[in-house]
Amino acid sequence: MAIAEQADQASSIPASRKILCVIYGVIAVAALLATWGPNLAYSPDAFLSDS
């Protein structure tokens, strides 16, 4: 498939589908941060600090 054909196919995606993909991406990043937040509390730096 040529690059021009790929560009034509990408531009044929409806705007609503693009917006939905962006929303899913934002949800995925938020979920990643929410699940890794508590893990960062147990990082090696937290164990080495004199608290």
Side-chain angles (χ1 to χ4, degrees):
M1 197 180 267
I3 294 174
E5 291 176 15
Q6 289 176 348
D8 288 340
Q9 286 181 353
S11 64
S12 67
I13 297 173
S16 61
R17 181 69 54 96
K18 291 178 185 179
I19 292 170
L20 187 61
C21 288
V22 169
I23 291 171
Y24 284 156
V26 169
I27 291 171
V29 169
L32 180 68
L33 293 175
T35 56
W36 271 95
N39 292 341
L40 295 177
Y42 297 106
S43 67
D45 294 336
F47 289 121
L48 298 176
S49 65
D50 294 330
S51 337

